[in-house]
């Protein structure tokens, strides 16, 4: 009979599991917390978020991001509020090609709606009641005349009048506020050098602010989980070129995605590290996207998020954390930290957003024109992302560069995976002599080989 582990006094098995999950989550989030401290995030959200039930949750999450040392710029919209104000004043909202036509009367509606929306957002960010996530906090929210605007003008014979476009962002003034640990809240209004006021697109303002600040992230809270594939499944990451092809096809894009995706593409091509499309109704979406491996939205980047490279000594601690669970369950042979340090040049690693999520090692036996593929490991969250195949191809290229003719691997759990990739099973006696002498007959690993 298997012995059961004793439970801590007063805690049920469910409570212990919950506690362990919490500890694992916090530890898993730590690398992201370190990586994002001092970085600038621009978060854009429409009037639906500013006035809806999710506004309170957004304030909580922004408060936590600021407390973790992230420099926050918030850009709010007010389209539904402007529409409601127009209706209240007996005006018919007018749009052309998705852009509001702002005459003098509509501009008064814009100013009124923007002012009320901004005050409501500021109020939410200023909370500090006990027994809430913002207890004991004080967020200094600032703003200013950071945007110089110009008129859109006449397009297709339609005069947009007081609808404007961004001419310039006064980035140094925004950075000065961020340096003082303020949260900068920007309304999509701009002024011209002549003192005219223009109604701007929230998504364009967020894009240009992110580019001007060289932001780490531009985040759009939208009416969809993110980009979806043909089967309706979430695409967790996409390059700008791939996203542009989806935009041109125009399939499966919601109203928000049609507006936000072009801005996200331009932003990453102009220097913003990442653009994120997150469901505005997802509770805790910002936290789940930034502090978990898998995230909950779509990340748009100029280049693929996953980066393969050769390992360095600085990767040893991360390698230990990656492979220890698989050593514990017997999938991998144990390697001590000292051995990893000695053999680090044999390892290839794969990073996701700066966090190590996979590895593999190449051990050549040059006298027999062979090499061993060892320690192939990928974190559970990314085992469906094709990283194992990418690591295998990288190891094969390294072996061919050394003029080796065959690659072998020893495995106890993944025989079918290697068969599907062109490996054939052989007996231990066919191993290179040096490896054959070290073969562990108690472990009874299967041996596979692949010609290069």
């Amino acid at each position: 009979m298997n012995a059961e582990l004793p439970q801590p006094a007063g805690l049920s098995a469910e409570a212990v599991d919950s506690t362990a999950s919490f500890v694992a989550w916090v530890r898993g989030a730590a690398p992201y917390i370190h990586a994002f401290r001092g970085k600038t995030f621009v978060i854009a959200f429409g009037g639906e978020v500013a006035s809806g039930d999710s506004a309170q949750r957004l304030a909580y999450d922004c408060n936590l991001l600021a407390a973790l040392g992230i420099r926050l710029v918030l850009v709010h919209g007010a389209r539904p509020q402007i529409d409601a104000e127009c209706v209240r004043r007996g005006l018919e909202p007018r749009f052309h090609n998705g852009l509001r036509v702002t005459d003098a009367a509509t501009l008064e509606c814009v100013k009124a709606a923007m002012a009320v929306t901004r005050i409501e957002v500021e109020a939410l960010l200023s909370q500090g009641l006990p027994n809430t996530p913002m207890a004991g906090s004080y967020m200094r929210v600032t703003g200013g005349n950071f945007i110089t605007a110009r008129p859109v003008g006449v397009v297709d014979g339609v005069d947009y009048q007081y609808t404007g476009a961004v001419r310039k962002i006064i980035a140094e003034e925004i950075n000065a506020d961020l340096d003082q640990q303020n949260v900068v809240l920007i309304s999509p209004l701009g002024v011209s050098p002549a003192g005219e006021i223009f109604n701007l697109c929230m998504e364009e303002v967020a894009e240009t602010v992110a580019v001007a600040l060289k932001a780490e992230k531009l985040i759009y809270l939208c009416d969809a989980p993110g980009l979806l594939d043909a089967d309706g499944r979430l695409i967790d990451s996409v390059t700008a070129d791939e996203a542009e092809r989806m935009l041109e096809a125009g399939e499966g894009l919601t109203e928000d995605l049609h507006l936000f995706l072009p801005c996200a593409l331009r932003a990453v091509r102009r220097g913003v590290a990442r653009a994120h499309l997150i469901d505005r109704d997802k509770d805790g979406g910002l936290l789940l996207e930034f502090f978990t491996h898998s995230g909950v939205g779509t990340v748009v980047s100029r280049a693929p998020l996953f980066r393969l490279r050769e390992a360095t000594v600085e990767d040893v601690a991360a390698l230990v954390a990656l492979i220890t669970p698989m050593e514990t369950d017997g999938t991998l042979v144990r390697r001590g930290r000292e051995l990893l340090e000695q053999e680090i040049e044999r390892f290839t690693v794969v990073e996701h957003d700066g966090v190590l999520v996979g590895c593999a090692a190449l051990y050549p036996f040059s006298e027999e024109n062979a090499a061993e593929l060892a320690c192939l490991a990928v974190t559970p969250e990314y085992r469906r992302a094709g990283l194992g195949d990418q690591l295998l191809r990288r190891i094969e290229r390294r072996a061919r560069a050394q003029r080796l003719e065959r690659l072998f691997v020893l495995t106890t759990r993944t025989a079918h995976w290697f068969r599907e990739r062109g490996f054939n099973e052989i007996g231990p006696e066919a191993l290179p002599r040096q490896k054959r002498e070290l073969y562990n007959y108690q472990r009874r690993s299967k041996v596979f080989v692949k010609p290069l």
Side-chain angles (χ1 to χ4, degrees):
M1 183 176 66
N2 294 329
E4 294 185 358
L5 293 175
Q7 303 294 344
L11 288 180
S12 66
E14 292 79 6
V16 171
D17 290 342
S18 178
T19 300
S21 297
F22 171 76
V23 171
W25 183 86
V26 172
R27 288 173 177 165
Y32 300 103
I33 294 172
H34 299 319
F36 297 151
R37 183 178 293 115
K39 299 296 177 60
T40 300
F41 288 13
V42 177
I43 302 175
F45 52 94
E48 299 85 356
V49 174
S51 63
D53 296 335
S54 57
Q56 181 74 76
R57 300 191 296 269
L58 175 63
Y60 290 159
D61 293 349
C62 287
N63 177 264
L64 180 56
L65 294 176
L68 293 173
I70 294 171
R71 295 153 57 96
L72 287 184
V73 179
L74 308 181
V75 182
H76 75 84
R79 176 173 285 194
Q81 290 87 342
I82 296 170
D83 288 343
E85 185 66 18
C86 287
V87 171
R88 190 181 72 82
R89 301 190 186 198
L91 302 174
E92 182 70 25
R94 292 177 57 209
F95 293 87
H96 180 68
N97 291 334
L99 188 62
R100 186 186 300 276
V101 177
T102 310
D103 57 20
T106 303
L107 182 60
E108 295 305 311
C109 299
V110 170
K111 291 190 287 187
M114 289 288 186
V116 170
T117 303
R118 181 185 179 89
I119 291 170
E120 290 176 345
V121 173
E122 282 189 359
L124 289 171
L125 296 172
S126 302
Q127 298 173 87
L129 290 175
N131 302 319
T132 72
M134 297 175 72
S137 70
Y138 176 66
M139 296 175 69
R140 295 187 299 274
V141 181
T142 64
N145 55 338
F146 303 132
I147 304 173
T148 302
R150 59 174 177 81
V152 169
V154 179
V155 180
D156 299 330
V158 176
D159 187 353
Y160 281 93
Q161 301 182 60
Y162 293 100
T163 298
V166 176
R167 174 181 289 176
K168 182 181 179 182
I169 300 294
I170 315 299
E172 56 270 23
E173 294 299 328
I174 300 176
N175 275 319
D177 277 3
L178 294 173
D179 290 342
Q180 296 179 51
Q181 299 181 353
N182 297 325
V183 173
V184 177
L185 177 62
I186 295 179
S187 300
L189 291 172
V191 296
S192 72
E196 295 175 299
I197 299 173
F198 289 99
N199 177 30
L200 308 177
C201 293
M202 175 272 292
E203 56 271 16
E204 182 198 358
V205 170
E207 172 203 339
T208 52
V209 166
V211 171
L213 297 177
K214 299 180 174 59
E216 179 72 16
K217 294 185 182 295
L218 168 61
I219 303 101
Y220 288 110
L221 303 182
C222 57
D223 60 356
L227 296 176
L228 305 178
D229 64 16
D231 297 321
R233 295 173 298 193
L234 179 68
I235 300 172
D236 57 2
S237 64
V238 66
T239 65
D241 291 343
E242 292 167 342
E244 185 170 38
R245 287 192 288 271
M246 295 181 65
L247 184 63
E248 291 171 351
E251 297 178 359
L253 299 183
T254 63
E255 180 181 2
D256 279 358
L257 291 176
H258 272 293
L259 296 172
F260 300 164
L261 187 55
C263 297
L265 298 180
R266 289 193 297 267
V268 298
R269 285 171 172 165
R270 296 169 64 195
V272 175
R274 303 279 188 270
H276 297 253
L277 303 167
I278 303 175
D279 189 347
R280 67 191 182 201
D281 295 321
K282 180 72 173 180
D283 188 13
L286 293 175
L287 306 182
L288 292 168
E289 178 71 359
F290 302 144
F291 301 116
T292 64
H293 285 308
S294 53
V296 293
T298 298
V299 186
V300 182
S301 59
R302 186 170 184 177
L305 279 186
F306 295 105
R307 184 169 76 98
L308 270 73
R309 60 174 176 80
E310 307 316 315
T312 67
V313 173
E314 286 74 22
D315 296 313
V316 170
L319 274 173
V320 170
L322 172 66
I323 67 177
T324 294
M326 284 169 264
E327 291 177 342
T328 301
D329 68 14
T331 302
L332 297 177
V333 176
R334 287 191 178 275
R335 287 173 172 80
R337 184 186 182 104
E338 183 177 349
L339 181 61
L340 281 173
E341 291 176 351
Q342 294 171 357
E343 300 180 342
I344 193 65
E345 75 280 355
R346 302 186 186 280
F347 280 80
T348 294
V349 296
V350 57
E351 292 178 324
H352 178 270
D353 231 5
V355 177
L356 195 150
V357 296
C359 67
L362 179 70
Y363 289 83
F365 297 87
S366 301
E367 67 280 2
E368 300 187 48
N369 291 324
E372 179 187 7
L373 164 63
C375 203
L376 177 60
V378 177
T379 57
E381 295 88 351
Y382 294 108
R383 287 177 185 166
R384 295 182 181 273
L387 299 185
D389 289 298
Q390 293 183 42
L391 285 164
L392 173 59
R393 288 194 293 269
R394 181 71 164 248
I395 291 295
E396 289 177 350
R397 286 197 297 270
R398 289 181 62 183
R400 290 191 187 100
Q402 298 179 39
R403 300 184 183 279
L404 303 175
E405 297 176 355
R406 58 194 180 111
L407 185 68
F408 65 87
V409 62
L410 281 70
T411 180
T412 58
R413 304 285 183 88
T414 54
H416 284 86
W417 191 89
F418 287 105
R419 284 196 185 102
E420 292 166 2
R421 285 151 181 84
F423 284 80
N424 297 308
E425 187 171 0
I426 59 174
E429 66 280 357
L431 289 168
R433 179 185 57 79
Q434 186 178 353
K435 185 65 181 179
R436 186 170 62 246
E437 292 173 354
L438 297 174
Y439 181 81
N440 186 338
Y441 283 91
Q442 290 185 327
R443 183 174 170 82
R444 298 182 62 187
S445 298
K446 293 182 180 293
V447 182
F448 291 85
V449 68
K450 180 180 182 179
L452 296 173

